[in-house]
Amino acid sequence: MPDSRRTRPMPNTLFELTEGYSQILALLDRSVAMRRIVDEVPDLTGVDVAWVGEPDGEDRLVLGHTVNARTPAVDGLVVPTGCGLGGQVMLRRSPLWVSDYRRSDTITHHFNAQAETEGLGAMIAVPVIHEGRLLGVLYGSNRETCPFGDRTAESLQKAASRAAAAAVVAERARHAAETAVHEERRRLALELHDTVGAMLFSLGAGIRALAGQLPTGDAVQARLTELEEQAVHAAAALRVSLHALHAPPEEVALGVALRGHCRAFQERTGVIARLLVVTEVPGLPSARLRALTDAVREALLNVEKHARARSVVVSVFTHSAGVCVTIADDGVGLPPGDPPPGGLGLAAMAERLGRVGGEARVGRNEDGGVSVQAWVPT
């Protein structure tokens, strides 16, 4: 009997890997993710044409990613707040539709020429929103004039929800990638300081000592003096480059610093330490940034000394017009008593946060361990 396993077709591994890679790209690249969702809108909702408007600043959209368009009239169109259907959606943050775009009396008609060129009749638009933030406007349109049913509106809203989730995932992935890049630059800067910087210092010192052993006016001594000056200039240039490498942009400075603290803690203790950036975090002034990173370092030191934990999670998110960092462990928890006791380190942390308008809280968490929360205003 023939072995059926040998006659069974082999899976196309390369195809599967390519598909998996494409899905990962869709998560990491906002434009790719948005395009994939818009591609599905005609089939999901029954509209003839679909596209999306993405914010360009606070008061306008730029339209793109058109599906089933006959002309380039829509792609690249700039829609200010309040203008046309999408501009009204920007203002109201709710779905709107018209059965005849070019003749509707509920919208402005700044873009009738483009609608005429593309042959658009009925049009519907829904906001793409995440946590109150407008991430775009998703459009659908039919060639004929007609009313839209509830099914079309609900389907487009579901697509908008998926678009919002995709945009947020892409933003967080981009932020994580930027943080990792700047963390690596920082590591490289420290390595260059410890190797090349030390070599240049030793080289300069050796040349200076050698020149000092030669009689004044000797030709070799003059040459050695020139070499020493070149070494000094090279060291100065290296310091400038190291400073540029070591200083991350304001937008990712907090993530870079906290990732560094988590990595150092894990290497030092063997306890797993993870950093979770829950929401997009705005840049902070240096004093508030330093207060938060100092608080995290102090909290991790307390975990190391007292918690006997197996893992620590450092979470960063925006909260109450500020940035909050929570350090939660799964250790032995706080001793009995209310309020929780605090040492000099926690008191110093609270004082530093207070100087910049922030605050600290300590309490028990659901894992039985301790949560330390540090907050500063933006």
Side-chain angles (χ1 to χ4, degrees):
M1 178 181 291
D3 189 344
S4 61
R5 290 177 298 178
R6 293 183 180 179
T7 60
R8 187 180 302 156
M10 294 292 290
N12 191 334
T13 305
L14 182 59
F15 175 78
E16 292 174 0
L17 288 173
T18 303
E19 281 295 296
Y21 178 67
S22 298
Q23 292 173 11
I24 292 171
L25 272 185
L27 289 176
L28 300 181
D29 189 312
R30 175 171 173 165
S31 180
V32 172
M34 199 68 74
R35 175 79 211 195
R36 284 194 165 201
I37 290 169
V38 178
D39 282 345
E40 297 173 356
V41 166
D43 289 337
L44 291 173
T45 65
V47 297
D48 297 325
V49 191
W51 64 91
V52 68
E54 298 185 82
D56 182 29
E58 297 293 328
D59 57 356
R60 65 180 192 171
L61 297 170
V62 178
L63 307 188
H65 299 311
T66 54
V67 179
N68 296 340
R70 296 170 179 168
T71 73
V74 173
D75 267 323
L77 195 62
V78 176
V79 179
T81 301
C83 294
L85 188 65
Q88 286 294 317
V89 171
M90 288 179 71
L91 282 177
R92 302 185 189 185
R93 304 293 180 94
S94 61
L96 293 173
W97 57 87
V98 293
S99 58
D100 187 345
Y101 181 87
R102 283 167 277 170
R103 293 177 177 79
S104 173
D105 58 3
T106 61
I107 60 172
T108 70
H109 293 280
H110 292 76
F111 311 111
N112 271 17
Q114 289 82 1
E116 179 76 31
T117 299
E118 181 56 39
L120 302 177
M123 191 179 298
I124 182 171
V126 301
V128 179
I129 294 178
H130 178 75
E131 295 183 350
R133 185 163 62 100
L134 184 71
L135 303 176
V137 174
L138 193 60
Y139 291 79
S141 180
N142 288 329
R143 302 286 181 190
E144 305 296 329
T145 59
C146 62
F148 286 106
D150 291 340
R151 176 185 172 278
T152 300
E154 290 174 2
S155 299
L156 197 60
Q157 284 181 283
K158 288 180 181 178
S161 297
R162 290 178 54 207
V168 170
V169 169
E171 283 181 359
R172 292 178 184 170
R174 175 188 55 78
H175 187 276
E178 289 177 355
T179 299
V181 167
H182 289 290
E183 184 183 8
E184 179 61 18
R185 289 176 60 183
R186 189 167 165 176
R187 185 198 63 77
L188 180 61
L190 293 173
E191 187 174 316
L192 288 172
H193 174 271
D194 294 340
T195 55
V196 179
M199 289 170 59
L200 286 172
F201 177 81
S202 298
L203 182 62
I207 292 173
R208 186 164 53 253
L210 184 59
Q213 298 175 11
L214 298 173
T216 304
D218 187 278
V220 176
Q221 185 190 53
R223 180 56 182 155
L224 288 174
T225 301
E226 291 177 4
L227 291 174
E228 182 188 354
E229 291 177 356
Q230 291 176 12
V232 169
H233 291 316
L238 177 65
R239 283 195 297 273
V240 172
S241 298
L242 294 183
H243 178 74
L245 280 173
H246 194 271
E250 186 180 79
E251 292 80 4
V252 297
L254 181 61
V256 170
L258 297 187
R259 193 180 295 276
H261 286 325
C262 288
R263 186 181 63 252
F265 170 84
Q266 184 165 315
E267 290 175 352
R268 190 171 65 245
T269 65
V271 176
I272 296 171
R274 291 178 293 162
L275 174 65
L276 297 179
V277 182
V278 180
T279 66
E280 189 174 6
V281 179
L284 291 171
S286 58
R288 295 174 188 174
L289 176 66
R290 193 179 311 112
L292 273 184
T293 55
D294 287 349
V296 171
R297 185 175 62 249
E298 181 62 38
L300 290 174
L301 282 172
N302 279 335
V303 173
E304 182 178 354
K305 293 176 183 177
H306 309 297
R308 301 203 296 276
R310 292 171 297 176
S311 65
V312 181
V313 177
V314 178
S315 306
V316 188
F317 52 94
T318 54
H319 176 68
S320 299
V323 175
C324 190
V325 181
T326 298
I327 305 92
D329 67 68
D330 60 358
V332 297
L334 294 167
D338 194 21
L344 291 176
L346 291 175
M349 174 203 302
E351 182 180 347
R352 285 192 295 268
L353 289 166
R355 288 176 191 159
V356 295
E359 60 183 26
R361 295 180 181 177
V362 181
R364 300 172 180 86
N365 61 42
E366 296 178 352
D367 293 327
V370 176
S371 289
V372 176
Q373 193 171 81
W375 175 89
V376 297
T378 51

